[in-house]
Amino acid sequence: MKYLIGNWKAKLNWTEAQAWLTSWQELVMTSPLPADKQVILAPPAVFYAAMAAKKPSLALALQDISQFAGGAYTGEVTITNLVDLLPAYTIIGHSERRAHFGETNQLILQKAQNLWSAGITPIICLDTDQAAAMAQLLSTVDAPYLIAYEPLSAIGTGHNLSRVELESQLADWRQLFPTQPLIYGGSVTSDNVAEYVGVCDGLLVGGASTKVDEFWQIVQQF
Ligand code: PGA
C-alpha cells in the first residue's frame, strides 16, 4: 500500500476547505484512484465532522489528539468526542507540536495508546534524533502504526531531501521499524515527488496539500 497523507495544519478556512473537497470529488470521478493508494487528509479538527458527513473519496484523519481520554479538559479534542465519528488515522508527534507545545516521545506514546484503545491507527512523526528512543518505547507494542520521517530541515523550508539522502536514512530506520510503513515528509511538491517513488511507503505533504490540483498531481505521480 502507498500512503499519501495531506496535512493542512492550521491553514484554509471552511469556504476553502469545501471548495477543495468539491474539486477533489470531481477529480476522483474523472479518474478513479488505484486500490493500492491510500489517500488520507488531515484537515483542522474543527472541519472534521462536516467533511466526514460529505463522505469524501479519501480517508480523513486528525492532526493530533489529546493525551486525555475525555472529561474536564476545556479546548481538547479527545477519543471520547470521536466515539461515533472515528477517523481511521490520526497524526501525532508532529515537529510543530514538539516545538510549540513541548510534546515529548513519552506524551506521544500516551496519545498513541488512546488511539489504539479506539481502534485508530497513529501516524507517528519523528526526526532522526527522536527515532531510536521512540522505537524503544514502541518495542513492546503490538498494534498498527505508521512512521513518518520528517527531518526538521525539510519541513516547510523548500529544502526537500534528495532520493539518495532519503534512501540512506531509511536504511537505518528500517532496522528500528522493521514492519511499519515508512513515510517521508518535508517540502514534497509535484516537482520533486518523482524522487521518492519506490524509496518509501508514502508521503506526508503539508503546504502542497492545501492546493487540490497540486496534491492530486502528487498522488498521481507517487
Ligand atoms: P511541508 O510540511 O510539506 O509543508 O514541508 C510537511 C509536514 O509538516 O508534514
Side-chain angles (χ1 to χ4, degrees), residues 53-220:
K54 291 176 187 283
K55 307 222 174 308
S57 306
L58 43 69
L60 287 173
L62 291 179
Q63 299 174 11
D64 184 38
I65 191 74
S66 175
Q67 71 265 37
F68 304 109
Y73 298 101
T74 301
E76 289 293 87
V77 176
T78 70
I79 289 301
T80 302
N81 308 135
L82 294 171
V83 171
D84 37 17
L85 205 63
L86 285 183
Y89 303 91
T90 289
I91 298 170
I92 50 174
H94 192 281
S95 62
E96 288 151 17
R97 302 288 319 168
R98 293 174 187 262
H100 303 303
F101 303 94
E103 295 197 0
T104 60
N105 277 347
Q106 193 64 51
L107 182 95
I108 291 154
L109 179 66
Q110 210 172 320
K111 292 183 173 201
Q113 279 158 347
N114 281 341
L115 294 173
W116 287 319
S117 74
I120 302 170
T121 300
I123 300 166
I124 302 175
C125 301
L126 294 167
D127 198 352
T128 310
D129 56 345
Q130 297 138 1
M134 196 72 204
Q136 180 66 34
L137 284 177
L138 292 165
S139 60
T140 56
V141 167
D142 183 24
Y145 58 94
L146 281 59
I147 290 292
Y149 166 45
E150 297 229 305
L152 207 52
S153 63
I155 295 179
T157 59
H159 300 299
N160 62 298
L161 248 60
S162 71
R163 182 184 184 87
V164 171
E165 285 169 325
L166 185 60
E167 267 171 348
S168 113
Q169 280 291 334
L170 290 189
D172 294 341
W173 286 53
R174 203 28 98 203
Q175 311 296 313
L176 296 172
F177 304 105
T179 58
Q180 285 72 27
L182 294 179
I183 315 293
Y184 166 71
S187 296
V188 174
T189 67
S190 61
D191 289 335
N192 60 37
V193 58
E195 289 266 307
Y196 308 116
V197 176
V199 178
C200 52
D201 302 305
L203 297 170
L204 180 41
V205 185
S209 73
T210 61
K211 300 180 211 99
V212 67
D213 291 333
E214 176 72 2
F215 190 55
W216 179 257
Q217 283 306 319
I218 291 168
V219 170
Q220 293 298 310

